[in-house]
Amino acid sequence: MISPLRYDYDVVVAGGGIVGTACALAFAGDGLRVALVEGDVLGGGATAAGMGHVVVMDDSEAQFALTRRSQQLWHQLAKTLPETAEFETTGTIWVAADEEELAEAERKHAYLQERSVPSRMLSGRELSNFEPNLRRGLAGGLLVLEDAIVYPPVVALHLARELQLLGSDVVVGRHISHLATGEAQLDDGTLLRAPRLVNALGAEAVACTPGIPVRKRKGHLAITDRYTGFVRHQLVELGYLKSAHSISSDSVAFNVQPRRTGQILIGSSRQYGNEDAALNQAILSSMLARAQLYMPEIATLNVIRIWTGFRAATPDKLPLIGPVADDSTLWLATGHEGLGITTALATAELLAYAFAGTEPPISNEPYLPIRFGTVEPTNTRIHQETA
Ligand SMILES: Cc1cc2nc3c(=O)[nH]c(=O)nc-3n(C[C@H](O)[C@H](O)[C@H](O)COP(=O)(O)OP(=O)(O)OC[C@H]3O[C@@H](n4cnc5c(N)ncnc54)[C@H](O)[C@@H]3O)c2cc1C
């Protein structure tokens, strides 16, 4: 019998999405010898399906810390990105439809001001001037100035290339069938060994690490032909906060993004319990109707492509970043739900600091997998959350 090929590394990173490539590059930048393994196409998973909105969120202090730190890292990285990464600091306008939502915009504004995040309130009239295609009569909005837009699959490819330039290995087209106890087994029998393994498999992370509390949350997006200037900022309804935070029911929200190409990306939807990637006509219709409610003229634009993708959701809406309790070699970098583009760079930074044994710029504690207890294949936590 021929024994399988074996290679030794300092770290094996499983998954070549934005999170895996960012982690791998951060480790290699610290002088570690890394293997990055992607079973399909680099940046082709949720990273290609997402909107690429780099957004500061304030659902909790932990969410704020991770999104803000990562956004700052994005602004640094942007200086080195190729033009094709389409990084643009468009800002986000949180659109308030009524007085109740305007009060929420004001609360958010105060929260961001206290933490030195540039933002400003917009009256209904200013909102119309900033975004003339929004319907008349909206109450106002909040402009968050440093929020940005990026085209994530190009960034994932760019980071993987940088990784190779540092002498690390990028293995594409090989699935990992086993990831534990210092070994990553590939589907051609090759064995990659390392004292540290990082599961950055996004919504597929459970397949290699059964029992972790990650569920798929399906989303739909649509993109139009080119209509330069139709939308100028990332626009999100404040009602989005209600729908995105509902962890049980299907939801849609007005969430529209201007691409540098002049195209308009229209989102978004959230669904649990549907792992079929096929388009769902009912969800899609209600998502487009929601967009039309805020921007009536959007109905006149040509949509040229529609797709779905899967977010990796956790019960507390925070990612899993850190070691697994019952395998000293295995670390997680998954569970980023709808914020994995935004938070990929801070995720990589937290793990790189942990590997180096130094204090990170933000506390890693809220994201440690141990908050859900030990990970065992028989753990029923995921099913409990579904109920
Ligand atoms: C509709 C939608 C809109 C979104 N919008 C935004 C947004 O505006 N802003 C934001 O910050 N986030 C957004 N997100 C979330 C974001 O896209 C994800 O959180 C992020 O892409 C996760 O990156 P990842 O690297 O963890 O996962 P992925 O990109 O899915 O990467 C995992 C990789 O692992 C590979 N893989 C899986 N199994 C194996 C295996 N056994 N062996 C080898 N390789 C394997 C896959 O092929 C894949 O490439 C959105 C997501 C969706 C679905």
Side-chain angles (χ1 to χ4, degrees):
M1 186 180 137
I2 304 168
S3 44
L5 290 172
R6 290 169 186 218
Y7 299 94
D8 291 323
Y9 295 91
D10 296 320
V11 193
V12 173
V13 178
I18 193 75
V19 173
T21 53
C23 287
L25 185 60
F27 308 150
D30 285 347
L32 300 180
R33 188 165 146 66
V34 182
L36 173 72
V37 184
E38 166 54 47
D40 192 353
V41 176
L42 286 166
T47 297
M51 259 193 150
H53 182 202
V54 177
V55 54
V56 166
M57 297 289 284
D58 63 351
D59 187 33
S60 62
E61 283 300 333
Q63 191 190 58
F64 171 77
L66 195 68
T67 53
R68 181 60 175 157
R69 174 66 192 156
S70 213
Q71 184 178 78
Q72 288 164 338
L73 294 173
W74 269 109
H75 282 286
Q76 286 170 28
L77 179 70
K79 295 175 193 143
T80 66
L81 288 175
E83 274 293 299
T84 48
E86 297 177 12
F87 187 93
E88 267 185 295
T89 310
T90 55
T92 303
I93 297 180
W94 292 91
V95 179
D98 53 28
E99 291 305 313
E100 188 192 350
E101 290 181 9
L102 200 58
E104 170 56 15
E106 270 156 7
R107 183 210 60 76
K108 207 172 166 61
H109 178 51
Y111 181 95
L112 295 176
Q113 293 288 99
E114 273 166 33
R115 289 158 185 79
S116 307
V117 180
S119 65
R120 85 170 178 91
M121 291 297 298
L122 303 177
S123 66
R125 179 183 293 227
E126 284 174 305
L127 183 63
S128 282
N129 291 340
F130 275 54
E131 293 289 348
N133 284 307
L134 279 171
R135 77 162 194 259
R136 296 288 161 262
L138 293 164
L142 172 68
L143 172 61
V144 183
L145 290 136
E146 291 180 3
D147 284 357
I149 290 170
V150 69
Y151 187 49
V154 167
V155 181
L157 274 175
H158 173 76
L159 299 179
R161 273 193 210 110
E162 295 286 306
L163 178 67
Q164 284 177 311
L165 291 177
L166 291 177
S168 282
D169 289 338
V170 179
V171 181
V172 176
R174 292 262 79 96
H175 273 85
I176 296 178
S177 52
H178 174 81
L179 186 75
T181 56
E183 293 183 347
Q185 175 90 56
L186 309 192
D187 55 8
D188 64 352
T190 303
L191 199 60
L192 309 182
R193 296 188 301 195
R196 285 183 179 125
L197 310 169
V198 176
N199 180 339
L201 297 171
E204 302 298 332
V206 183
C208 278
T209 311
I212 55 172
V214 170
R215 297 163 67 196
K216 291 188 180 178
R217 204 173 188 191
K218 184 174 173 181
H220 287 70
L221 290 178
I223 195 159
T224 69
D225 217 330
R226 295 168 191 238
Y227 301 96
T228 305
F230 187 88
V231 182
R232 301 163 185 174
H233 306 79
Q234 176 97 25
L235 301 179
V236 192
E237 63 162 295
L238 273 157
Y240 171 87
L241 297 169
K242 297 169 204 152
S243 57
H245 293 176
S246 147
I247 56 170
S248 51
S249 54
D250 295 353
S251 61
V252 296
F254 169 65
N255 188 348
V256 163
Q257 178 179 95
R259 302 296 322 177
R260 186 180 286 176
T261 53
Q263 292 172 283
I264 297 150
L265 189 49
I266 306 169
S268 62
S269 69
R270 281 180 151 80
Q271 278 178 286
Y272 275 130
N274 183 343
E275 301 202 358
D276 177 1
L279 298 181
N280 176 316
Q281 280 304 335
I283 290 276
L284 184 62
S285 302
S286 98
M287 184 181 94
L288 294 175
R290 192 80 191 162
Q292 205 180 324
L293 181 68
Y294 280 81
M295 293 195 117
E297 290 299 308
I298 219 164
T300 65
L301 312 186
N302 284 331
V303 167
I304 58 169
R305 197 163 75 85
I306 299 164
W307 65 91
T308 65
F310 293 97
R311 306 171 181 92
T314 64
D316 64 1
K317 295 172 271 172
L318 291 174
L320 300 164
I321 308 170
V324 163
D326 47 8
D327 179 345
S328 62
T329 67
L330 185 58
W331 296 64
L332 300 179
T334 182
H336 296 82
E337 220 270 0
L339 289 171
I341 307 303
T342 303
T343 55
L345 303 184
T347 297
E349 183 181 66
L350 282 177
L351 288 186
Y353 272 75
F355 288 0
T358 48
E359 198 68 31
I362 59 167
S363 166
N364 62 356
E365 212 175 312
Y367 326 108
L368 291 174
I370 192 68
R371 70 187 188 276
F372 292 110
T374 54
V375 172
E376 295 158 23
T378 51
N379 192 329
T380 55
R381 194 185 311 277
I382 294 171
H383 304 292
Q384 285 162 1
E385 283 300 324
T386 312

